Amino acid sequence: MKKILITGCLGQIGSELTIRLRKDYGTENVIATDIRKIDGNPVIEAGPFEILDVTDKEKMLQIAKEYNVDTFIHLAALLSAVAETKPQLAWDLNMNGLVNALETARELNLLFFTPSSIGAFGPETPAKNTPQDTIQRPTTMYGVTKVAGELLCDYYHTKFGVNTRGVRFPGLISYKTLPGGGTTDYAVEIYYEALKNKQYTSPISAGTYMDMMYMPDAIDAIIKLLEADPKRLVHRNAFNITAMSFEPEQIADSIRKFIPEFKMNYAIDPVRQKIADSWPDNIDSSCAKKEWDFAPQYHLDKMTEDMLEKLTKKLGAFL
Ligand code: NAD
């Protein structure tokens, strides 16, 4: 990895990944792109940035050539809950964006990473200790695009020899950039509300378990997999990875260790609940551990402590 192009870099993952990669690989060697610009955003201000709509194949190729990149990290996508409200747009962005990115990687012989999701599983998937290789019959448009994307990345590897790699991310929790409309967003919002109002109304019902991970572990996982020795990789795309699995009462209990008066209420969002019910309770990430030493550092309480500390500083000005 010497020169890296990232799409969707202003989102929840990209905004942190870009800054970490610039620190590790050099500011000028990480080219950030997104369909939009946010004035004053550190990703745009601190290094190379280009406006790029990932459905524009020509411009994508032109930017990749212009900067002479050797690595492509494709993040731009529509997330699960939003995708259910705009399924046609989700198909167009998630699939055509990915095909363009893979074609660019094929033409320029690039190392390639794109994330899949626990959303690639469905109600018939074994819900507990979900294996790496198992039934994938998702019932959401997001899931349909993620399964198709996993297969496409495998296809580009076996058919064209593209060095594709990927993970199935669980819900990602972070304090820098708000999540973009996923089913696990509640596990981020709850920390903001705990600090602002000492209470939270959960759209996901008590007892609904989902896999989660703190952003520093997610960023480490991307870099580790991209740097992994290809000879060790039996799987390539869509490694199951997770750091913890919890249900709303457990994250509330974790917050109460730091804010004892915190109260949890429920007003279930039927769209998000239905998606959550179709996803696994907890997935097995043993293949990622074996093939590239995946090793998350944060469990629930350690993450809660860090989230509350960082968010207190972030929100301090207007609390
Ligand atoms: P996000 O919604 O926070 O950010 C997506 C970014 O893509 C935004 O900055 C948006 O402006 C940009 N974008 C939208 N349309 C675009 C287009 N046509 N061209 C270029 N850019 C466009 O998403 P995220 O949470 O950072 O997720 C990144 C990837 O990780 C996605 O593939 C997502 O499915 C996957 N993922 C995320 C999570 C999570 O919890 N965040 C979990 C599993 C998988």
Side-chain angles (χ1 to χ4, degrees), residues 9-10 14-16 18-19 22 32-33 40-49:
C9 76
L10 297 179
S15 56
E16 297 201 34
T18 306
I19 287 170
R22 282 180 176 156
T33 71
N41 187 293
V43 165
I44 295 176
E45 302 294 317
F49 174 83

Side-chain angles (χ1 to χ4, degrees), residues 11-13 34 36 52-54 75 115-116 142 146 169-170 172:
Q12 191 192 5
I13 300 176
D34 203 289
R36 63 195 166 120
L52 173 64
D53 176 347
V54 294
L75 298 177
S116 184
Y142 181 67
K146 286 300 179 189
F169 273 135
L172 299 181

